[in-house]
């Protein structure tokens, strides 16, 4: 699904990723852990194609296609989704309208018929239940006046609606209380199947307790210094990151 | 933003959709302005003596006035002697019905999306079509007459309803009001006249469609709307012009009078040719004076404007709230893209008790556009318990444009309640990336964000035109991301 090889990249001339290699197979959930500034979010931004992020060497392929050669919207349309660490507010743009525009962009890309308003409402009501969100959020502007937890749930709602093949969850647990965390994790868990892949970026083990990743990678100074299973997450929770530093 | 920049550059070559010219035999008087020209215009319209005198008085006042220079607009001096003050399609005989309108003209309006044949029109909109200096036709006239509503061209009203014209002409915007109003009073050629009798709710939207066609010609129309006691009317004007390398002057005057319990809703979708997007050459200079008086108790005047065209816009639709409990509203979207400059806003003058005004202004600057909001709220001594709410928001697209806000407040009664909110934001890279990441293209994202920004104002437009305005916004903004 996703294959990253010896990726070197940076932002605004500052080198941040120093040779990352990672393979995510269909159906797998990989967790990337690390301190602030270790390059976690840079990795997410490079995969999704944010401007100003520059790849100096290495490659990222998605189902065998060079992802780095594609525009951000083409990456999204081909099934790469990111749940934002800081979801963006778009004043005046109705949440329902935004989500339907996104879904229709995808349907159109796949050569399918666009969804009409009535069918979309039926669909979205189902999805709302999965993340325990009230219907009133639909009539509000995108992320406008949402609490931190509401914004993150809204991201997961978008994921469930757009049904991406690869989801990058960038610190989806930050700013969530324990109840919201459970809801978000359940939303992701119910969405998992043998074809969908996930990369979850996080500081803490908490989220992983609910999500049960297949692989855990520790990122320090833009490099994966250790990979393992859930026991690695527990070790990190106990000992911190310093024992992994050379 | 390299990729976005490319999208912009390719889209910026988008052409102004209404830039064609109509090849029609026209009668145009030679450029220049003097008393003889005014006499000529007046005689062409077969006007009564009093109106000619009124024009000449205005002209002599204009001669003593100076062109205003307090706005943020930057433009070379206008040579008023280089402009022709009258142009009209040649008529063979007096028109009796639409069948006699030159097919070339009908075709022009069809191309503009304003079919003048009643059966083809939006069922609920009556149109007065003004082509350069004259009104071509007014639709649904008979239907309106059944309700006592008078909707006709200004020149026609001078003959058919001279008493009303005489009573109200210049009563809201006096000839001495400002430089461009004085000029208009001297040379105005046509425009629309509306009278809604007592207690009548006008059964359809009234609309005037202004088209400038002739080269080197100014358009100076005059609109007068009277809503008698307890009546209600919604009026909309639309404007387009061909692409020409020379700047063309448009200086209109609009006067509204609302009597007791009456309500006038006046909407504008202005899409004059904005000039060449790459060089800024050409485009309309739009100097307009619009003002309404809420003359008696419980009256209401509401201005809604969507200003996307013109090279220059100088326009401040205002309300004089004379009657107690009267209400004034101003909802505005002004867009300045490429080389466009807009200096627009409103004045709310509170004279009566418990008067209320609302100002919602949305300025959008893109390309090298400069957008200025200029507003004045005046609470006079006798205006007990007056209230004003003002909100002016600006949005910037790209790094070469500008937004300016000049809200003036003058309160002379301590019971006044004033609220003012303002914001300036930039369409952020983060917003665009967020949309891109959801599969929405940059172009679609910009129009989505801008339409969201303008929503409060678009909601005020009559239904049929809200969609138009939204589309127009998309076209005007194409390629504006930078």
């Amino acid at each position: 699904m996703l294959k990253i090889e010896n990726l070197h990249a940076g932002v605004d001339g500052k080198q941040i990723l120093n040779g990352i290699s990672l393979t995510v197979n269909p159906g797998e959930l990989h967790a990337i852990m690390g301190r602030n500034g270790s390059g976690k979010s840079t990795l997410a931004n490079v995969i999704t194609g944010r401007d100003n992020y520059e790849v100096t060497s290495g490659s990222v392929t998605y189902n065998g296609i060079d992802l780095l050669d594609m525009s951000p919207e083409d990456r999204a349309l081909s099934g790469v989704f990111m749940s934002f660490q800081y979801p963006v507010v778009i004043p005046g743009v109705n949440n329902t309208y935004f989500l339907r525009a996104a879904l229709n962009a995808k349907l159109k890309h796949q050569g399918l018929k666009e969804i009409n308003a009535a069918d979309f409402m039926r669909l979205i009501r189902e999805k709302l239940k999965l993340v325990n969100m009230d219907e009133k959020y639909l009539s509000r502007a995108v992320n406008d006046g949402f609490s931190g937890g509401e914004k993150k749930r809204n991201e997961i709602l978008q994921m469930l609606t757009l049904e991406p093949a690869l989801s990058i969850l960038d610190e989806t647990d930050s700013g969530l209380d324990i109840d919201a965390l459970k809801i978000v994790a359940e939303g992701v868990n119910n969405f998992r199947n043998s074809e969908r892949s996930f990369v979850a970026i996080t500081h803490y083990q908490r989220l992983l307790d609910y999500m049960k990743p297949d692989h855990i990678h520790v990122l320090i100074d833009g490099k994966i210094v250790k990979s393992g299973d859930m026991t690695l997450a527990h070790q990190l929770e106990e000992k911190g990151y310093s024992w992994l530093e050379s | 933003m390299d990729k976005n920049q490319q999208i912009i550059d390719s889209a910026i070559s988008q052409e102004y959709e209404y830039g064609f010219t109509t090849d029609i035999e026209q009668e145009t008087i030679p450029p220049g302005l003097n008393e003889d020209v005014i006499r000529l215009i007046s005689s062409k319209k077969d006007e009564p003596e009093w109106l000619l005198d009124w024009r000449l008085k205005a002209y002599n006042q204009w001669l003593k006035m100076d062109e205003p220079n307090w706005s943020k607009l930057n433009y070379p001096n206008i040579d008023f002697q280089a402009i022709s003050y009258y142009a009209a399609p040649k008529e063979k005989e007096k028109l009796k019905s639409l069948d006699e309108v030159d097919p070339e003209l009908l075709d022009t309006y069809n191309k503009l999306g304003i079919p003048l044949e009643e059966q083809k029109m939006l069922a609920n909109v009556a149109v007065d079509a003004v082509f350069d200096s004259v009104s071509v036709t007014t639709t649904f006239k008979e239907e309106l007459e059944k309700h006592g509503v008078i909707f006709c061209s200004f020149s026609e009203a001078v003959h058919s309803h001279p008493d009303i014209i005489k009573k109200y002409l210049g009563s809201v915007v006096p000839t001495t009001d400002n430089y461009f109003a004085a000029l208009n009073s001297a040379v105005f050629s046509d425009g629309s006249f509306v009278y809604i009798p007592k207690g009548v709710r006008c059964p359809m939207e009234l609309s005037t469609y202004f088209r400038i066609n002739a080269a080197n010609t100014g358009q100076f129309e005059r609109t007068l709307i009277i809503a008698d006691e307890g009546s209600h009317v919604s009026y909309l004007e639309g404007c387009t012009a061909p692409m020409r390398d020379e700047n063309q002057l448009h200086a209109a005057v609009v006067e509204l009078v609302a009597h007791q319990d009456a309500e006038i809703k006046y909407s504008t979708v202005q899409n004059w040719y904005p000039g060449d997007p790459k060089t800024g050459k050409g485009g309309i200079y739009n100097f307009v004076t619009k003002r309404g008086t809420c003359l008696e108790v419980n009256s209401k005047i509401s201005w809604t404007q969507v200003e996307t065209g013109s090279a220059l816009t100088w326009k401040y639709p205002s309300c004089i709230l004379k009657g107690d409990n009267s209400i004034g509203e101003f909802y505005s979207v002004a867009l300045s893209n490429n080389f466009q400059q807009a200096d627009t806003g409103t004045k709310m003058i509170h004279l009566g008790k418990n008067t209320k005004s609302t100002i919602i202004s949305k300025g959008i600057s893109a390309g090298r556009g400069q957008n200025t909001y200029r507003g004045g709220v005046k609470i006079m001594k006798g205006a007990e318990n007056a209230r004003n709410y003002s909100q002016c928001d600006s949005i910037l697209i790209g790094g070469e444009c500008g937004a300016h806000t000049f809200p003036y407040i003058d309160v002379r009664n301590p019971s006044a309640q004033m609220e003012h909110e303002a914001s300036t934001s930039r369409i952020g890279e983060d917003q665009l990336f967020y949309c891109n990441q959801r599969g929405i293209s940059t172009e679609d994202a910009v129009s989505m964000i801008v339409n969201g920004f303008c929503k409060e104002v678009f909601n005020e437009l009559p239904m049929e035109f809200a969609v138009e305005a939204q589309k127009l916004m998309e076209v005007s903004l194409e390629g504006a991301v930078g």
Side-chain angles (χ1 to χ4, degrees):
Chain A
M1 169 87 54
L2 178 71
K3 197 168 173 143
I4 302 172
E5 278 180 296
N6 197 26
L7 182 67
H8 290 71
V11 62
D12 300 329
K14 204 178 139 206
Q15 194 69 21
I16 295 176
L17 301 182
N18 298 303
I20 288 193
S21 296
L22 177 70
T23 301
V24 180
N25 294 313
E28 289 180 351
L29 193 156
H30 288 241
I32 296 184
M33 302 185 74
R35 288 192 184 121
N36 279 336
S38 58
K40 303 187 303 291
S41 286
T42 300
L43 180 62
N45 285 321
V46 169
I47 294 172
T48 48
R50 196 176 202 131
D51 262 331
N52 303 328
Y53 284 82
E54 214 173 309
V55 174
T56 43
S57 68
S59 69
V60 181
T61 58
Y62 169 75
N63 292 331
I65 313 162
D66 180 6
L67 204 56
L68 300 178
D69 209 30
M70 293 162 78
S71 71
E73 57 269 37
D74 283 341
R75 298 181 203 200
L77 291 170
S78 62
V80 179
F81 177 91
M82 173 158 80
S83 165
F84 281 60
Q85 181 180 4
Y86 303 109
V88 177
V89 177
I90 311 180
V93 177
N94 180 281
N95 221 4
T96 315
Y97 182 83
F98 178 76
L99 203 44
R100 185 150 84 98
L103 180 59
N104 277 335
K106 187 190 157 187
L107 292 171
K108 210 173 138 194
H109 178 77
Q110 294 173 337
L112 298 171
K113 228 182 97 194
E114 295 191 358
I115 188 166
N116 67 39
D119 288 344
F120 181 75
M121 283 315 290
R122 260 191 293 277
L123 174 79
I124 198 74
R125 285 202 181 100
E126 287 303 308
K127 306 290 182 189
L128 275 171
K129 282 186 210 147
L130 297 174
V131 283
N132 201 17
M133 272 173 89
D134 197 284
E135 229 172 272
K136 70 175 189 224
Y137 292 111
L138 292 179
S139 53
R140 303 210 346 222
V142 179
N143 293 319
D144 200 3
F146 284 32
S147 72
E150 286 162 354
K151 282 183 186 168
K152 294 300 173 71
R153 272 191 275 173
N154 196 31
E155 293 292 289
I156 299 304
L157 174 72
Q158 295 182 15
M159 180 188 80
L160 298 177
T161 308
L162 297 174
E163 302 190 330
L166 172 66
S167 303
I168 318 277
L169 310 175
D170 191 4
E171 308 222 1
T172 297
D173 51 345
S174 67
L176 292 185
D177 59 35
I178 194 76
D179 292 331
L181 186 75
K182 270 191 206 166
I183 292 164
V184 164
E186 258 167 48
V188 173
N189 285 341
N190 292 330
F191 184 61
R192 287 179 72 174
N193 67 18
S194 62
E195 277 152 32
R196 295 182 181 136
S197 308
F198 300 82
V199 176
I201 290 168
T202 181
H203 279 286
Y204 308 108
Q205 167 210 332
R206 234 174 30 160
L207 178 75
L208 305 181
D209 285 340
Y210 293 108
M211 281 190 187
K212 311 235 177 326
D214 302 294
H215 301 277
I216 291 174
H217 312 279
V218 180
L219 204 60
I220 293 179
D221 292 335
K223 262 186 166 163
I224 291 176
V225 296
K226 196 163 180 63
S227 298
D229 55 17
M230 265 311 276
T231 45
L232 180 57
H234 292 299
Q235 279 175 307
L236 288 170
E237 194 71 11
E238 239 170 74
K239 299 197 253 175
Y241 290 98
S242 48
W243 61 285
L244 291 167
E245 280 165 336
S246 47
Chain B
M1 301 293 291
D2 286 355
K3 258 172 245 143
N4 287 337
Q5 188 61 50
Q6 281 167 17
I7 299 174
I8 299 158
D9 290 346
S10 70
I12 222 148
S13 49
Q14 171 89 13
E15 280 191 11
Y16 178 72
E17 200 182 339
Y18 306 103
F20 63 90
T21 48
T22 304
D23 190 13
I24 191 164
E25 213 186 326
Q26 277 190 300
E27 178 191 12
T28 308
I29 62 172
L33 182 57
N34 52 49
E35 287 204 5
D36 289 342
V37 168
I38 292 164
R39 281 175 208 282
L40 182 66
I41 294 170
S42 188
S43 77
K44 280 198 181 295
K45 308 224 158 250
D46 200 13
E47 282 176 356
E49 194 65 27
W50 69 265
L51 191 49
L52 173 63
D53 289 345
W54 193 81
R55 285 175 180 276
L56 290 172
K57 213 174 121 205
Y59 173 68
N60 284 303
Q61 283 158 337
W62 177 74
L63 287 177
K64 291 181 217 136
M65 296 167 95
D66 291 320
E67 202 176 327
N69 60 3
W70 42 261
S71 76
K72 285 282 287 182
L73 305 173
N74 235 320
Y75 60 96
N77 283 337
I78 300 170
D79 181 358
F80 291 93
Q81 296 302 333
I83 298 169
S84 164
Y85 288 84
Y86 187 86
K90 261 192 186 153
E91 285 175 22
K92 283 147 211 133
E93 275 165 60
K94 197 86 193 131
L95 296 174
K96 280 191 209 79
S97 78
L98 199 60
D99 302 339
E100 295 170 35
V101 175
D102 192 313
E104 206 39 71
L105 278 177
L106 289 180
D107 191 43
T108 298
Y109 282 89
N110 278 331
K111 267 193 191 156
L112 296 169
I114 320 279
L116 298 176
E117 294 95 331
E118 290 186 5
Q119 62 274 23
K120 287 190 197 160
M121 294 191 50
L122 285 168
N124 222 17
V125 184
V127 177
D128 182 24
V130 176
F131 191 85
D132 288 326
S133 304
V134 294
S135 167
V136 179
T137 187
T138 310
T139 63
F140 289 116
K141 250 170 135 166
E142 282 145 38
E143 172 70 21
L144 288 167
E145 269 165 22
K146 278 188 221 152
H147 298 266
V149 172
I150 306 166
F151 179 39
C152 62
S153 74
F154 200 94
S155 329
E156 196 183 327
V158 167
H159 296 285
S160 58
H161 302 89
D163 296 344
I164 308 181
I165 298 279
K166 213 168 171 176
K167 182 173 172 193
Y168 291 102
L169 179 68
S171 70
V172 187
V173 180
T175 51
T176 47
D177 188 78
N178 68 68
Y179 189 77
F180 292 101
L183 177 65
N184 173 286
S185 303
V187 303
F188 76 87
S189 45
D190 217 332
S192 299
F193 171 75
V194 175
Y195 173 80
I196 315 289
K198 269 186 191 169
V200 169
R201 209 182 158 87
C202 187
M204 52 180 85
E205 298 279 342
L206 303 183
S207 159
T208 302
Y209 196 90
F210 295 101
R211 174 75 177 168
I212 297 179
N213 186 59
N216 302 318
T217 308
Q219 193 176 48
F220 306 91
E221 83 270 6
R222 186 126 196 151
T223 298
L224 177 60
I225 299 178
I226 316 294
D228 217 327
E229 200 180 312
S231 70
H232 179 285
V233 61
S234 171
Y235 176 91
L236 182 123
E237 62 172 357
C239 338
T240 59
M243 292 193 273
R244 295 191 188 279
D245 283 346
E246 307 81 29
N247 295 108
Q248 280 181 279
L249 180 63
H250 171 253
V253 171
V254 174
E255 297 179 280
L256 311 182
V257 179
H259 285 276
Q260 189 179 327
D261 299 312
E263 182 178 343
I264 302 175
K265 186 176 170 60
Y266 193 106
S267 313
T268 304
V269 176
Q270 185 262 106
N271 187 22
W272 296 120
Y273 177 52
D276 187 274
K278 284 194 200 102
T279 61
K281 211 171 174 191
I284 302 291
Y285 285 175
N286 193 29
F287 291 89
V288 173
T289 306
K290 289 182 168 170
R291 194 175 304 150
T293 302
C294 286
L295 207 54
E296 290 161 63
V297 286
N298 300 329
S299 51
K300 178 177 174 183
I301 288 178
S302 180
W303 298 101
T304 304
Q305 61 172 20
V306 177
E307 304 280 321
T308 61
S310 297
L312 297 180
T313 297
W314 180 96
K315 188 181 165 194
Y316 316 90
S318 304
C319 297
I320 299 168
L321 304 172
K322 211 170 189 174
D324 291 349
N325 313 326
S326 61
I327 296 172
E329 293 174 337
F330 175 72
Y331 300 96
S332 168
V333 166
L335 169 85
S336 316
N337 193 5
N338 302 316
F339 290 86
Q340 286 176 277
Q341 305 174 58
D343 192 306
T344 184
T346 184
K347 270 191 284 186
M348 293 290 175
I349 304 181
H350 294 250
L351 297 167
K353 297 188 181 79
N354 306 315
T355 44
K356 212 166 94 181
S357 63
T358 303
I359 299 170
I360 309 277
S361 161
K362 306 278 182 177
I364 301 152
S365 316
R368 297 195 209 176
Q370 293 293 327
N371 207 307
T372 302
Y373 167 80
R374 190 181 301 277
V377 180
K378 233 181 201 176
I379 312 285
M380 304 307 274
K381 258 201 183 111
E384 270 317 301
N385 297 317
R387 276 195 290 167
N388 165 262
Y389 173 76
S390 301
Q391 181 189 335
C392 24
D393 299 324
S394 308
I395 200 166
L396 299 163
I397 307 173
E400 285 178 277
C401 54
H404 317 272
T405 307
F406 300 98
Y408 300 99
I409 293 174
D410 178 1
V411 179
R412 302 183 188 180
N413 183 312
S415 66
Q417 284 180 48
M418 313 288 290
E419 273 181 86
H420 184 90
E421 285 180 33
S423 75
T424 304
S425 57
R426 191 175 282 282
I427 289 195
E429 247 175 275
D430 54 344
Q431 286 176 327
L432 294 177
F433 178 63
Y434 190 69
C435 294
N436 287 161
Q437 216 301 305
R438 297 300 182 251
I440 299 164
S441 70
T442 301
E443 288 280 283
D444 289 350
V446 169
S447 83
M448 186 189 275
I449 293 166
V450 168
N451 275 312
F453 176 74
C454 301
K455 202 150 80 186
E456 281 165 279
V457 174
F458 287 169
N459 285 346
E460 294 297 323
L461 287 173
M463 260 290 270
E464 296 89 332
F465 300 102
V467 181
E468 280 300 303
Q470 200 160 332
K471 267 195 244 153
L472 179 60
M473 211 60 179
E474 274 162 33
V475 173
S476 306
L477 261 173
E478 255 184 81
V481 201

